[in-house]
Amino acid sequence: MCGRFVSTATPAQLADFFGATVDTDPLGPSYNVAPTNDVYAIVEADGVPTVRSFQWGLVPIWAKDAKVGSKMINARAETLAEKPSFKSLFKSRRLIVPMDGFYEWQAIAGHKTKQPMFIHRCDGAPLAVAGLWTAWKDKQAGPDAPWLHTCTVITTSANALMAPIHDRMPAILERKQWSEW
């Protein structure tokens, strides 16, 4: 499960890496991105990959309160097409969440505490993690309330490298999958 990650690249660096344009202000580097923080994402805008900012933690359009987003930071790949919160987004609201790497905590036999592990690419390039997005408006705030753009990270079963550390991991996309996603 992905609950914390690192994001240090600028929007311009991400745009260069992903072949995208920029439509966001800089967020600044973070070595401990937490749920409900703003994050960069690559989303298609008018047919062009674009770097934008989203709040991490999906707030479904039907939610009465934005606080639900703190519980919807991850979506299981195995149930995306079934869960009401993700089903329609899976068809049309996909994005890529770039990360320098993510944290996972490995259980150590005989110890109550877990060992933090930082998972990243050996070449230092960003991980391209599959995600979903939506926009939510607080109906209590009236018709002029701003839209809140939120996202969730898709997780999957751990691969052979991750399995000794944790049973889940972010769904990492290979470069050839970016345009399909």
Side-chain angles (χ1 to χ4, degrees), residues 11-12 14-24 41-52 54 94-96 175 178-181:
L14 293 172
D16 184 52
F17 184 78
F18 287 97
T21 62
V22 175
D23 183 18
T24 186
I42 315 305
V43 62
E44 189 174 306
D46 298 322
V48 177
T50 305
V51 180
R52 290 195 171 156
F54 291 80
R94 299 177 184 193
L95 54 65
I96 296 172
R175 185 177 294 266
W178 295 353
S179 61
E180 295 172 30
W181 185 252

Side-chain angles (χ1 to χ4, degrees), residues 19-171:
T21 62
V22 175
D23 183 18
T24 186
D25 293 326
L27 299 174
S30 178
Y31 294 89
N32 189 18
V33 178
T36 73
N37 287 166
D38 285 344
V39 299
Y40 296 124
I42 315 305
V43 62
E44 189 174 306
D46 298 322
V48 177
T50 305
V51 180
R52 290 195 171 156
S53 298
F54 291 80
Q55 179 180 292
W56 183 27
L58 194 86
V59 180
I61 194 78
W62 46 261
K64 293 182 177 163
D65 191 317
K67 291 179 184 174
V68 71
S70 66
K71 296 177 181 159
M72 298 184 71
I73 61 169
N74 294 325
R76 295 176 72 89
E78 299 86 353
T79 59
L80 287 177
E82 303 164 10
K83 297 284 184 178
S85 298
F86 309 122
K87 188 176 182 178
S88 66
L89 303 178
F90 179 57
K91 295 176 185 174
S92 63
R93 298 251 175 126
R94 299 177 184 193
L95 54 65
I96 296 172
V97 179
M99 302 176 181
D100 295 10
F102 61 95
Y103 296 105
E104 221 28 278
W105 286 261
Q106 181 180 30
I108 300 173
H111 295 277
K112 291 183 180 181
T113 59
K114 295 181 178 182
Q115 173 69 42
M117 308 290 277
F118 180 61
I119 313 302
H120 60 92
R121 287 177 50 140
C122 294
D123 63 5
L127 298 171
V129 176
L132 303 173
W133 73 275
T134 192
W136 177 83
K137 187 181 270 200
D138 184 355
K139 293 175 180 71
Q140 305 289 332
D144 294 331
W147 287 97
L148 176 64
H149 292 85
T150 64
C151 68
T152 189
V153 168
I154 297 173
T155 64
T156 189
S157 298
N159 62 19
L161 187 62
M162 274 297 298
I165 300 168
H166 198 273
D167 63 335
R168 308 275 314 157
M169 63 182 273

